Amino acid sequence: PWRFSMELAFPQDVLGSTVYASQMVSREKGINFDAVGFEPDAELPACLISSKQLQEAVSNILDNAIKYVRRRRKGPGRPRIPQVKVSITANEPPLGAGCTIWVEDNGPGIPEGERKSVFERGFRSSEVRDEVKGSGLGLSVAKFWLNRMGGRIELLEKGGPSKLQGTTVRIILFRDPER
């Protein structure tokens, strides 16, 4: 029932317009948005993907980062400027050939007890349910499409390359997902 075509493509090219649109929205909201690796001359491996579904998945993740980064952290040391960073790099061993996309922010993060639930359809954190609009579908849809492409999506707390101290989502795509 969920058929889509897969092709070898360069994710940085497929996602360029999605990242650019998120950058414009962020600027309008006073969010510092940084994109790395999406330059036209970036030399990254091609991955087996469905372009439209990859754009939807990454757009959902970026939308969440932009939506939640402005929430205040509890306690001292709260950042003054909300930041979102999206970067793309070649996979490093032991991962097979492909690309890793990192979406990081310096927002309040996701409570430890709720991290496993964020990819469930309809899940919304109790901390934001009444404060931030949403349906709880974005991350479940992203996971669905990425899994259908043979990719992975993971939530890492403070685990990205930029160490922004908020939430980090890592997407792993492969040239040959069957390997």
Side-chain angles (χ1 to χ4, degrees), residues 136-155:
L137 297 177
L139 292 179
S140 67
V141 168
K143 183 173 184 164
F144 175 81
W145 287 129
L146 293 164
N147 286 345
R148 296 279 299 167
M149 287 182 253
R152 296 185 212 155
I153 182 170
E154 303 167 327
L155 181 67

Side-chain angles (χ1 to χ4, degrees), residues 17-34:
S17 61
T18 301
V19 169
Y20 179 73
S22 293
Q23 193 171 39
M24 294 300 102
V25 169
S26 294
R27 283 192 182 142
E28 289 172 10
K29 295 181 180 223
I31 297 168
N32 182 355
F33 187 102
D34 194 17

Side-chain angles (χ1 to χ4, degrees), residues 3-171:
R3 294 179 184 225
F4 58 90
S5 60
M6 302 256 289
E7 62 186 357
L8 269 179
F10 296 101
Q12 70 273 21
D13 295 340
V14 170
L15 294 172
S17 61
T18 301
V19 169
Y20 179 73
S22 293
Q23 193 171 39
M24 294 300 102
V25 169
S26 294
R27 283 192 182 142
E28 289 172 10
K29 295 181 180 223
I31 297 168
N32 182 355
F33 187 102
D34 194 17
V36 176
F38 293 90
E39 301 80 16
D41 59 348
E43 293 193 24
L44 295 167
C47 298
L48 191 61
I49 58 173
S50 173
S51 296
K52 183 178 178 190
Q53 280 70 31
L54 180 61
Q55 289 170 337
E56 181 177 356
V58 171
S59 178
N60 287 350
I61 295 161
L62 288 170
D63 287 351
N64 274 8
I66 292 165
K67 195 182 330 183
Y68 296 111
V69 72
R70 296 188 59 95
R71 291 192 68 245
R72 292 182 180 207
R73 286 179 194 235
K74 293 182 175 140
R78 167 179 85 73
R80 296 185 195 290
I81 301 172
Q83 296 180 326
V84 173
K85 182 173 184 178
V86 58
S87 54
I88 185 167
T89 59
N91 288 348
E92 295 183 10
L95 295 173
C99 292
T100 300
I101 301 166
W102 304 87
V103 178
E104 303 171 80
D105 67 53
N106 66 345
I110 297 168
E112 192 169 340
E114 297 183 349
R115 290 184 202 152
K116 289 185 178 179
S117 302
V118 296
F119 294 110
E120 293 174 12
R121 184 178 177 88
F123 178 80
R124 304 231 28 243
S125 172
S126 58
E127 292 195 8
V128 298
R129 209 173 284 140
D130 300 327
E131 198 176 314
V132 180
K133 290 183 182 181
S135 63
L137 297 177
L139 292 179
S140 67
V141 168
K143 183 173 184 164
F144 175 81
W145 287 129
L146 293 164
N147 286 345
R148 296 279 299 167
M149 287 182 253
R152 296 185 212 155
I153 182 170
E154 303 167 327
L155 181 67
L156 307 173
E157 205 61 27
K158 302 177 177 112
S162 298
K163 308 279 189 259
L164 288 183
Q165 304 299 310
T167 299
T168 299
V169 176
R170 178 171 67 176
I171 299 167

